[in-house]
Amino acid sequence: MTAAGLEDALSGSPFVGRRPEVARIRAAHADSVRTGTQVVCEVVGDPGIGKTRLVHAALDGCVPAPPRAVGTCVEAERDIPFHVFRHALGAPHPVSADPQHPTAVPDGLLTPGTAAALDVRQFRTYQLARRLLTLAARDGLALVLDDLHWADTSSTGLVAHLLRYPVPAPLLLILVYRPRQMDTAMPFGPPEVGVPGVRGRERIELGPLSLADTVALYPHEDPAELGRRHDRAAGNPGYLAALDGVGPADGDRDSPSPTKPRLTDRAVATLRAEWAGLSPVDATCLRAAAVCGTPCAVDLLAEVARLPARQVTESAWRLVRRDLLRVDPTTARFTFRHPVLRAAVAQDTDPAWRAEAHHRALTVLLARQAPPAERVAQAVHLLGLPHGRPVEAYVDVLCRAAEEIRGDAPELAVRWLRTALRAVRPPAGSPDTRHDVTLLLARITGEMGNLAESRTLLREVVPELPGDPPGRRTAAVAQWVRVERLLGNYAEAAAISRRELVGTPTPTAGAYQLATELGAIGILSGHPSPVPGGAPDGEASGIDRAGLLAVRGLAAAHDGEVRIARELLAAGAPIVDALPDRDLRERPDCLLAVGLAELFLERPADATRHLDRGITLVRDAHRDDGLCQLLLGRSQVAYHRGQLGTVIGLTTEAGGIARRIGSRSLLSFALAFEAQATAWRGGPRDDDRAVALARTAVELANDLDSWSGRTAATALATATLLAGDPDTCVEMLTDAGGDSRLTRLQASLRPMWHELLCAAALAAGDLPEAYRRARAALADADLLGLPGQHAFAESAYGEVLLARGEVLTALPYLRTAADRFRAAGMTLRHSLALVAIARASEAVDRHGPAGRARRRAQELAARCGTERVGLRLARPVRALAETALTDREWHIARLASTGVTNRLIGRQLHISPRTVEAHLTRIYRKAGVESRSGLVAWVSRFDDTDR
């Protein structure tokens, strides 16, 4: 009855899909009519899959339309001999318009003389039935035997006889059954090759509907919701109908809600016939299986059902034979045939019995330390059932499980915690439990990168927390402050930290975290302040000491206090290296601070080691909040080393994460760093892209006093200078620096920014200003004592001397700069310094050193992925008359002066002729000429560098 019940649920809906299967049945009918012989067509599949509808839809379209006789087996009548044939042929059917050839058979002709096994008498009975079918099918007949899995032995014997001795008439014999639901092995099945008597036989194994077919079946429903329903029903049209208008089924372990929508009463009534005739033991085992979840082991079933294990095993195998349960081949456990069937059994079970059964199951699973998902499934059910027990124990199960999986499946952990939080909303649950769940949910959502939700939860719960001695409140406040910092709300984060530290006289883990956060906020906001609390005492944990020392070291390195920064790193880095991954995975900001401090002290190898460790840990833990910052830090190490492609890849990934977590400040950093690398890459379209990226970074930063604002401003300054706009470069750097000494810019990088202003002054033709900037760079570099920053200063001074024409005086400065860039690991800047050496050496006819510098510069440029080196090698020794031209403009000017057309220039540089024309217009203006002939004369005034 169940197949009919499930398919009756589809009555009135259109028949969709199944075109190949329909074609095969119609082809079988055509073969039967053409050959005048019997053709057998088996249609097999799961309950509700649409076997009966398929058969009748196919027969309805047959030409000519065959007379049809339909017999259906019923489980309650399986002891009546030949029942299905009697049902098909024993009662009148309007299957033939010819009264001379009726298909009805007189009652009693198919009753066997005995119930013995196959013998001569039974064979004669089968032969008599065969003759009767031959008469009935004289003008063609489609005999449909439905639900043969419930057929009596006499009927299955007759079917086997007809397969061996086909009817010599155009009979289309259609056998519809479920192979899994046979008490005994079916005497017919897939045709075997080479076995006599199997010709003219077709077997159709019906599978699920495709999603497209499901949409065609329900054309007026929401496609997204229909897709979810299709997945839950696994494409089974019967279950699709049963789920019509129903949300997540009771028992769907992935649903976050403890109070899930129920199947409709009609759907449960339709499915109830599957288990209505079970014995009490089998019914109890089936309900226990619905409680346990699938797949479930026998010992757990026995505990839940309160039955002996042997009895449960026998019952489970009986349920398997009825295809209510199946055996999972991977775990050798029992599982329901379909999740919807399990949901219906659960819903049909007495709620009080279910609650007790779920409690028994949870007790066993906790004792066995079962996987988190299995424990949570039971706890979620208990939170949605009336049972009179406190909810705290079940909420604790969800929280512990979420803690266990948050590193591997944070989204699932969040769903479980949201379920727990709903369960302890007032008046249910104690305030302490509600606070614990909220804090854990805020922490995991923050780690996932959902900073807005994390902040909302923390704002809600922190004011309710008492100032307890263990530091629970201060730890929660530190978590809140970190979220505000990541979102760029520095003023609010600092205010919250100071307010909490004032009320926390005793040092706790949370107080150390707050002090660390306050130090980080000072660096990021551009308004550093002394971190309260002094040095971490001996009672502080390793991660607390390391975090505070790392942030103080970073602050010192940022502010140019190199000696203090080295001392702090010497104390903190060994602690960090000794910490286990578990601690650093919880506090990845510690590795970020150490790595950045080491980078600013020009120790890129150590910085790479710490930042790479952090990236590996947070990737494994799926922590977007920490990953974005670490990727940005790692990109700066790559920029230091001149690995421009790596910088762009890292910043692109970091920018995507920053957008996802909603952090404007981190996105500003990402775009600024990408702009710098793009500008130095120097491709034909890179200048415009770099400027656009940097301008967006400035817009996102809002406050130029913040670290992100200053970084965006310096990135725009770099991009505009390399694009040929020295005025904007000077404007951005002086605004960000606050005064001519650039006191608001990062002190440990100040010589580099003076060098950039020196280059801008040279590009603008202001040699005195360039000299002042070079001297300022030298003075600041002497204060720092960092080789890389000394190299920037000496490079700037050497370029000023070249612009003055003092080539021999400039060469020692340029060589020293190249050596120091190499020692600091700054490959890109090393290559550019070698370019200056090559050009200067050529100017004084030192071709040997010039050739060696040129070759080495090109090798390093290829390693960095920059075109700037090649463009600068094509320039003559810098003279003020041509300094306004960018590297790209000078290259185009040289090409144009040789007579190459705009089209050929564009083809060589991979830009359009119109873009070439725009470049030439700017070149004419800067050179003070009006035509190509004037440009040729202007270029020829400089030394010929074509070698």
Side-chain angles (χ1 to χ4, degrees), residues 1-21:
M1 182 271 182
T2 52
L6 282 173
E7 295 192 9
D8 284 346
L10 287 166
S11 60
S13 59
F15 180 81
V16 299
R18 314 291 198 196
R19 291 184 180 180
E21 293 86 353

Side-chain angles (χ1 to χ4, degrees), residues 555-569:
H558 179 277
D559 295 339
E561 299 173 352
V562 175
R563 182 185 59 81
I564 296 174
R566 286 172 176 161
E567 291 174 355
L568 290 167
L569 278 183

Side-chain angles (χ1 to χ4, degrees), residues 480-647:
W480 182 11
V481 169
R482 182 175 183 273
V483 170
E484 297 288 359
R485 169 173 63 81
L486 291 174
L487 289 170
N489 302 326
Y490 303 133
E492 184 174 352
I496 296 169
S497 299
R498 292 193 181 94
R499 184 171 61 245
E500 190 66 23
L501 284 171
V502 169
T504 312
T506 304
T508 63
Y512 285 120
Q513 292 176 43
L514 277 175
T516 302
E517 284 295 332
L518 197 55
I521 292 164
I523 300 170
L524 289 166
S525 65
H527 303 289
S529 59
V531 179
D537 57 32
E539 296 181 0
S541 67
I543 188 64
D544 288 331
R545 292 201 304 275
L548 195 54
L549 289 170
V551 166
R552 287 176 172 172
L554 174 59
H558 179 277
D559 295 339
E561 299 173 352
V562 175
R563 182 185 59 81
I564 296 174
R566 286 172 176 161
E567 291 174 355
L568 290 167
L569 278 183
I575 300 175
V576 172
D577 291 336
L579 288 171
D581 288 349
R582 179 188 63 256
D583 290 349
L584 292 172
R585 192 180 293 113
E586 293 290 329
R587 304 267 288 280
D589 296 348
C590 176
L591 288 167
L592 174 66
V594 169
L596 288 178
E598 290 168 334
L599 174 63
F600 296 153
L601 295 179
E602 297 182 1
R603 291 158 50 182
D606 291 336
T608 299
R609 177 168 55 85
H610 286 120
L611 291 169
D612 283 350
R613 185 184 181 189
I615 289 172
T616 300
L617 292 175
V618 297
R619 280 196 195 278
D620 291 343
H622 304 280
R623 290 197 57 173
D624 280 356
D625 64 328
L627 180 58
C628 184
Q629 301 175 91
L630 287 161
L631 288 173
L632 292 173
R634 184 65 179 82
S635 75
Q636 286 309 281
V637 179
Y639 184 72
H640 177 95
R641 288 177 161 168
Q643 300 163 343
L644 301 179
T646 301
V647 175

Side-chain angles (χ1 to χ4, degrees), residues 1-8 72-76 147 149-150 178 269-274:
M1 182 271 182
T2 52
L6 282 173
E7 295 192 9
D8 284 346
T72 304
C73 297
V74 180
E75 184 178 17
D147 286 344
H149 47 278
W150 283 325
R178 311 175 200 167
T270 299
L271 295 165
R272 187 181 294 123
E274 295 266 8

Side-chain angles (χ1 to χ4, degrees), residues 194 261 422 448 562:
R422 281 191 291 268
M448 287 174 57
V562 175

Side-chain angles (χ1 to χ4, degrees), residues 152-195:
D152 58 280
T153 56
S154 299
S155 295
T156 56
L158 178 53
V159 171
H161 185 84
L162 293 175
L163 294 178
R164 187 170 181 82
Y165 303 100
V167 170
L171 173 66
L172 176 60
L173 179 59
I174 301 179
L175 311 177
V176 184
Y177 62 94
R178 311 175 200 167
R180 292 176 176 270
Q181 295 192 22
M182 301 301 299
D183 285 339
T184 58
M186 185 67 83
F188 42 87
E192 298 180 17
V193 178
V195 177

Side-chain angles (χ1 to χ4, degrees), residues 240-260:
L240 276 167
L243 291 171
D244 191 4
V246 179
D250 193 14
D252 183 357
R253 69 178 58 189
D254 289 333
S255 175
S257 172
T259 56
K260 310 171 191 69

